[in-house]
Structures are given as structure tokens and as C-alpha cells.
Amino acid sequence: MSGEPNASTSDAMDTASTTAGYDFGRLEEFIMRLDERMSRMEATQQASAAVLLPPAQRAAAAAPPLPAPSVISSAPSGSAASVSVKGSLELFRTNGQRFSGRGIQWSAQRWEAVQRQRITRLPENCDPADIVATLMSLLTGDAQKAMSGATPTTVDEFFDQLGQCFTAPWYYRQVSNVLESGGFFRGVEDHQRATMALRVLDSLPAIDNSAVMVARAISFADETLFAQLNVIADEATMANIRIWCARYQRRVNVRSALRQSRGENRQNANNSASTSAARPKGPAA
């Protein structure tokens, strides 16, 4: 079939005619020698330029190049990570709230909720067995005895076994007995009373009877000041008990400030009397 050749055919023909007669082996050797000559010329130019530099820059130019900086991983090494985990667990233990199973400020369920929240702030690579061991170290008294034979391997197993030893109904009965006896706040400072009452309230079931027990306990401990609130303990509810505790705390603060002011005034009066008595009397007229 006759006709004009296509573009690809023309390119092939031009390439064949152009490269005909070339010895490609000798051409490759020529290129290698040319590269070597260019390298030597470049080295000679650098040496000549270095001679013209000041001595300090000349020494720096002659120094061998520094190795490329190695890439440092941001992840801590194994030993550093181990130290971080141990330190975190130690802080968890030293700053942790103890649980005895005997006091009424902490129910097992309330203590569990607080500790689980703290556990979320531990490093993710903490071994669960180490966390369990740290939790066990926070148990004292009856709780320590109750869990002495337990062998939990996970955090969930630990709290399950602790909850079986100190159930919510058992705790409620304990709190009821202590609050109803009126001796819960015995020996407690006035300014700490409302805080302790709310802490116990948080551990009790969220029912109005819990609020009534807390209000009665405060009224037993400080009947005069509680009466100034113009409330009745048996009418306490979960909706108003926190308001009552806040009002009670303000009354305590006012009373403390008045007592302090009276004490300072009395002390100033005594000091004035002592100064007057010690002042030498003038000669009799």
C-alpha cells in the first residue's frame, strides 16, 4: 500500500540515519573521561578559592563535613516510658483516697467512681496488674481484710469483688445508724460540717430520705444555728438540701467572723489595760 509515511515511521527513519556509523562504545568512554576532567577542574577551582579565604574560614572549609543528623523519635525510650509509668502509679498511690470500709464518708460505689476517674489520667501503657496492685495498696482496715484473699487481675474484677464485700444496702444501713445517732459530726470543726454532709450525701442513694438523714445530723450537731435557717429537717429533699447546706455554711462563716472580732477586741482591751497599769505615775500634786 503506497502513501505518505506516518509520523512514527519518519522518526524511526531519521534516528536510523543520524546514528548510522557511530561507535557507541567509544562514545560512552568519551563521556566518562569528560566527567572525570570536569570533576578535576571543579576540585582545582575550590582549592584555589580556599587559598584566598581568611585562616579561620579556610580551616572550616578544610574540616570534614559533619554527618547528617539522625532522626530522633519523639516517642520515649523503653526505660523512660517505664520510669514514667512507675512515677504515675506512685503519685496515684500517694495522692489517693484510702478506703477502709468502715467510715461512712465513702461508699464502695462512690470510691470506685472517683478511682475510675483517676485511672483515666494514667499513661495508656500502664499494666492492668500494676493498677490493681496500686488500688489494693489504698485499702485499709476492714476493706483490706475483706480483700486479703482476693486475686483480681483486672480493674473491673477488683471493683466487682470490692462491691460484693461492701454493698450499697450495707453502706446505707451503716450511714443510717450513725446519722440517726447524732454522733456523726462529733469532734468535727464547724466550718467542715457542711462539706462532710454533702460528701456523705453524694455516697447515698439520691432519694429524699437521704437528705432527711443529713439534715437531721446537722441539726443534732448544731441545733441553735440550724434553727436560724427556719427549716425543718424532716422536710429536707434532694432538691433543697444543698441550698440548706450552703446557707448553713454562710451562717457558720458569719459566726466565726464575729467570734474572731470579739476575741480581737477583748485582746486589744486587755492590752490597753496592761499598758495603763505599767505606765509610771507622775509625782503627786
Side-chain angles (χ1 to χ4, degrees), residues 91-92 95-97 114-122:
L91 286 175
F92 187 95
N95 297 333
Q97 300 87 353
V114 172
Q115 302 315 312
R116 282 189 181 275
Q117 180 64 30
R118 297 179 66 223
I119 289 172
T120 61
R121 296 192 290 269
L122 288 174

Side-chain angles (χ1 to χ4, degrees), residues 1 63-64 115 137 139 152 158 195 208 236 269 272 285:
M1 182 175 180
Q115 302 315 312
S137 69
L139 301 180
F158 171 83
T195 301
D208 290 344
S272 298

Side-chain angles (χ1 to χ4, degrees), residues 52-85:
L52 301 177
L53 293 174
Q57 295 185 17
R58 193 186 311 166
L66 295 174
S70 59
V71 178
I72 301 176
S73 173
S74 60
S77 62
S79 58
S82 176
V83 171
S84 175
V85 168

Side-chain angles (χ1 to χ4, degrees), residues 16 33 63-64 70 124 131 134 138 152 157 165 167-168 173 200 206 215 228 262 268:
R33 289 180 179 179
S70 59
E124 294 182 357
I131 299 177
T134 305
L138 294 177
E157 288 181 4
C165 297
T167 62
R173 287 194 301 271
V200 172
Q228 295 178 15
R262 290 170 184 167
N268 292 335

Side-chain angles (χ1 to χ4, degrees), residues 32-46:
M32 291 177 61
R33 289 180 179 179
L34 184 61
D35 287 342
E36 291 176 0
R37 183 178 300 178
M38 294 295 293
S39 297
R40 287 196 299 268
M41 290 176 61
E42 185 177 359
T44 301
Q45 291 174 356
Q46 290 178 353

Side-chain angles (χ1 to χ4, degrees), residues 132 136 147-154 157-158 161:
V132 170
M136 292 285 281
M147 293 288 288
S148 60
T151 56
T153 57
T154 66
E157 288 181 4
F158 171 83
Q161 295 178 23

Side-chain angles (χ1 to χ4, degrees):
M1 182 175 180
S2 61
E4 294 294 332
N6 57 30
S8 60
T9 305
S10 300
D11 292 343
M13 292 173 63
D14 292 341
T15 302
S17 62
T18 304
T19 57
Y22 276 89
D23 187 347
F24 287 100
R26 294 183 62 185
L27 180 61
E28 185 177 356
E29 181 181 357
F30 172 77
I31 293 174
M32 291 177 61
R33 289 180 179 179
L34 184 61
D35 287 342
E36 291 176 0
R37 183 178 300 178
M38 294 295 293
S39 297
R40 287 196 299 268
M41 290 176 61
E42 185 177 359
T44 301
Q45 291 174 356
Q46 290 178 353
S48 300
V51 172
L52 301 177
L53 293 174
Q57 295 185 17
R58 193 186 311 166
L66 295 174
S70 59
V71 178
I72 301 176
S73 173
S74 60
S77 62
S79 58
S82 176
V83 171
S84 175
V85 168
K86 289 181 180 179
S88 299
L89 289 173
E90 180 62 22
L91 286 175
F92 187 95
R93 185 187 65 81
T94 55
N95 297 333
Q97 300 87 353
R98 306 281 175 172
F99 180 70
S100 67
R102 181 180 302 171
I104 66 172
Q105 293 192 50
W106 287 104
S107 67
Q109 291 70 33
R110 174 67 177 164
W111 188 77
E112 174 185 346
V114 172
Q115 302 315 312
R116 282 189 181 275
Q117 180 64 30
R118 297 179 66 223
I119 289 172
T120 61
R121 296 192 290 269
L122 288 174
E124 294 182 357
N125 56 337
C126 278
D127 189 337
D130 292 336
I131 299 177
V132 170
T134 305
L135 289 170
M136 292 285 281
S137 69
L138 294 177
L139 301 180
T140 63
D142 292 347
Q144 186 179 34
K145 293 178 182 178
M147 293 288 288
S148 60
T151 56
T153 57
T154 66
V155 172
D156 289 339
E157 288 181 4
F158 171 83
F159 286 123
D160 286 344
Q161 295 178 23
L162 184 68
Q164 292 174 11
C165 297
F166 302 95
T167 62
W170 173 87
Y171 174 75
Y172 190 76
R173 287 194 301 271
Q174 295 290 105
V175 175
S176 299
N177 293 336
V178 175
L179 292 182
E180 293 295 342
S181 69
F184 174 65
F185 292 117
R186 189 172 297 144
V188 176
E189 297 288 341
D190 291 352
H191 65 277
Q192 296 178 343
R193 199 166 289 145
T195 301
M196 289 184 62
L198 292 177
R199 189 178 300 166
V200 172
L201 186 68
D202 289 337
S203 297
L204 291 170
I207 57 178
D208 290 344
N209 192 45
S210 299
V212 170
M213 288 195 300
V214 169
R216 285 179 179 175
I218 297 177
S219 66
F220 290 157
D222 196 342
E223 185 175 358
T224 301
L225 196 60
F226 189 83
Q228 295 178 15
L229 302 179
N230 295 322
V231 296
I232 300 175
D234 289 347
E235 295 179 357
T237 65
M238 293 300 293
N240 63 24
I241 184 61
R242 295 183 184 278
I243 299 175
W244 291 7
C245 286
R247 290 172 55 193
Y248 174 80
Q249 185 63 49
R250 286 196 294 271
R251 296 270 182 174
V252 169
N253 294 341
V254 170
R255 183 172 63 183
S256 298
L258 289 174
R259 286 176 177 174
Q260 182 177 2
S261 178
R262 290 170 184 167
E264 291 175 353
N265 292 338
R266 189 179 299 111
Q267 182 64 35
N268 292 335
N270 293 337
N271 292 340
S272 298
S274 300
T275 302
S276 299
R279 185 180 300 140
K281 297 181 181 179

